[in-house]
Amino acid sequence: MVVNFKVFKKCSPNNMITLYMNRRDFVDSVTQVEPIDGIVVLDDEYVRQNRKIFVQLVCNFRYGREDDEMIGLRFQKELTLVSQQVCPPQKQDIQLTKMQERLLKKLGSNAYPFVMQMPPSSPASVVLQQKASDESQPCGVQYFVKIFTGDSDCDRSHRRSTINLGIRKVQYAPTKQGIQPCTVVRKDFLLSPGELELEVTLDKQLYHHGEKISVNICVRNNSNKVVKKIKAMVQQGVDVVLFQNGQFRNTIAFMETSEGCPLNPGSSLQKVMYLVPTLVANCDRAGIAVEGDIKRKETALASTTLIASQDARDAFGIIVSYAVKVKLFLGALGGELCAELPFILMHPKPSRKAQLEAEGSIEA
């Protein structure tokens, strides 16, 4: 049996410290998060000098534009979630992974393992997309594994002897579908008899990225108004929890039709409209929430944020949600009738084989 490992490697600028990790995505299952594990390798000179080496899990939350910062004012908070000393090693029991065991055998006595547990209530990795011409640091939540040398974990790190490796906290779709979304809204009119009824149904509650959303629309016009146009759209809701008024929405997919219209009084209409929300169609728009580091080629729209309870909303997080909105246009005097249905948009949980390939454990 041959076991191959795919490993991420990063060295400090002075080449004295090297970090090895077999993955950069860590799954949040709402109640717990996968542990962050890796290996730190030191140069012989650092070992002889008995240097203290610390590893930290850092959450970087930027909530404002870098260009708007002034002296003494920064729109960024850097939180150290976990900190531990890896060299000289402390007395603690570490359950090594297969990757750590093999790397320790290969890298020799200058290699030191570490395991960190990310808090379950920590926010998901989400950043807000910028314009292509904007090269400043994006707003959002990002995580880094930081390795540095110092007398204590509170010491200011020096750039030449520091490693910062970006990681992501991700969530996968639940295995079970929820209740099928359905809503009915009605509108009556002043000095006009009857009412206009709009019923909207989705074929399911949970969708995967790139999947087609079927919006079933049923209109019953018992009023004396005329429906002139129908519009269906997918909206991404972004809630920056730090601010009281930090909620905003972006339309990321829409379809407009006049087929079957005008819908006269006493008539009814049944229609199915299909929408596919993708990042490709919104790649040039600023303010769209995307997953993790936008420099990665495999980045997609941010997944729906799943939280155990409303009390668990971290003050330094970004909550992402999705909803389908349907509008009936009745003309200048008639106004509009709107119906809205929330749904979940996430990545499917990888199969066991895909997880092994991602972690680099493949049997041949």
Side-chain angles (χ1 to χ4, degrees):
M1 181 179 69
V2 178
V3 181
N4 298 319
F5 285 95
K6 175 183 175 182
V7 178
F8 296 96
K9 175 184 176 182
K10 189 170 184 179
C11 298
S12 60
N14 61 5
N15 292 319
M16 293 294 186
I17 307 173
T18 306
L19 171 65
Y20 293 88
M21 295 182 69
N22 72 321
R23 54 183 172 170
R24 297 176 70 178
D25 289 349
F26 298 89
V27 180
D28 173 17
S29 58
V30 180
T31 56
Q32 61 180 5
V33 186
E34 290 181 334
I36 300 168
D37 56 83
I39 296 287
V40 177
V41 180
L42 304 182
D43 187 83
D44 290 335
E45 182 179 343
Y46 270 22
V47 175
R48 287 195 300 269
Q49 294 175 357
N50 200 25
R51 289 286 190 100
K52 288 185 178 181
I53 307 298
F54 299 92
V55 55
Q56 294 179 341
L57 174 61
V58 179
C59 176
N60 189 349
F61 178 46
R62 172 165 286 279
Y63 52 90
R65 295 177 67 247
E66 196 171 358
D67 295 339
D68 295 336
E69 293 182 344
M70 297 178 291
I71 298 176
L73 177 64
R74 294 190 67 197
F75 299 121
Q76 177 178 332
K77 290 188 179 294
E78 193 170 278
L79 309 175
T80 302
L81 302 181
V82 183
S83 180
Q84 59 181 244
Q85 181 179 318
V86 292
C87 179
Q90 302 293 300
K91 292 183 178 180
Q92 55 179 342
D93 295 330
I94 297 180
Q95 189 169 358
L96 300 178
T97 63
K98 290 183 179 180
M99 183 277 292
Q100 288 178 311
E101 292 176 353
R102 291 181 175 274
L103 282 180
L104 286 174
K105 291 180 181 178
K106 183 177 181 180
L107 298 174
S109 59
N110 290 0
Y112 301 90
F114 68 87
V115 176
M116 295 186 291
Q117 190 65 54
M118 185 182 295
S121 60
S122 54
S125 297
V126 176
V127 297
L128 302 184
Q129 186 172 251
Q130 303 178 113
K131 294 181 179 179
S133 58
D134 192 350
E135 297 182 355
S136 60
Q137 191 176 358
C139 296
V141 178
Q142 296 176 294
Y143 289 95
F144 299 92
V145 173
K146 180 180 179 180
I147 313 289
F148 68 98
T149 178
D151 293 331
S152 71
D153 58 355
C154 298
D155 275 1
R156 183 177 179 180
S157 58
H158 299 280
R159 190 185 63 83
R160 285 186 51 78
S161 58
T162 301
I163 299 174
N164 283 297
L165 181 65
I167 62 173
R168 295 195 300 181
K169 178 186 175 186
V170 299
Q171 290 181 324
Y172 290 126
T175 55
K176 295 182 180 180
Q177 283 282 349
I179 300 173
Q180 183 181 15
C182 178
T183 186
V184 178
V185 293
R186 298 178 180 89
K187 182 176 183 178
D188 52 11
F189 303 90
L190 186 65
L191 304 177
S192 299
E195 60 184 11
L196 179 64
E197 182 180 291
L198 170 60
E199 180 180 347
V200 181
T201 308
L202 302 182
D203 52 341
K204 54 184 178 179
Q205 184 193 42
L206 172 63
Y207 295 90
H208 297 151
H209 286 278
E211 197 172 354
K212 186 185 294 184
I213 300 173
S214 301
V215 184
N216 299 278
I217 302 170
C218 181
V219 183
R220 303 177 188 90
N221 190 3
N222 299 318
S223 68
N224 61 356
K225 302 295 181 179
V226 177
V227 179
K228 298 184 176 181
K229 192 168 55 175
I230 301 173
K231 183 177 182 180
M233 64 194 89
V234 175
Q235 292 187 329
Q236 182 193 70
V238 178
D239 182 5
V240 183
V241 186
L242 183 65
F243 302 114
Q244 187 174 1
N245 299 320
Q247 300 91 9
F248 59 92
R249 286 192 170 192
N250 293 303
T251 299
I252 55 176
F254 72 93
M255 182 179 180
E256 198 171 285
T257 180
S258 298
E259 186 180 347
C261 299
L263 186 65
N264 295 313
S267 304
S268 62
L269 172 66
Q270 284 192 333
K271 192 172 191 62
V272 180
M273 301 176 74
Y274 298 98
L275 300 169
V276 184
T278 61
L279 183 58
V280 176
N282 299 276
C283 59
D284 297 327
R285 297 180 58 196
I288 302 294
V290 298
E291 290 186 335
D293 190 352
I294 57 176
K295 294 180 181 179
R296 295 190 178 190
K297 295 181 180 179
E298 66 270 18
T299 297
L301 289 169
S303 297
T304 301
T305 305
L306 301 180
I307 54 178
S309 66
Q310 292 298 318
D311 298 334
R313 291 160 64 96
D314 193 282
F316 299 100
I318 295 178
I319 308 297
V320 179
S321 60
Y322 291 90
V324 167
K325 190 173 185 178
V326 177
K327 276 187 180 183
L328 303 183
F329 294 90
L330 311 176
L333 298 177
E336 301 173 351
L337 177 60
C338 300
E340 190 173 310
L341 279 176
F343 67 93
I344 298 174
L345 180 67
M346 302 189 77
H347 289 289
K349 187 175 181 179
S351 63
R352 180 59 181 165
K353 181 179 179 181
Q355 286 180 322
L356 291 175
E357 290 177 353
E359 294 177 9
S361 178
I362 307 172
E363 295 185 3

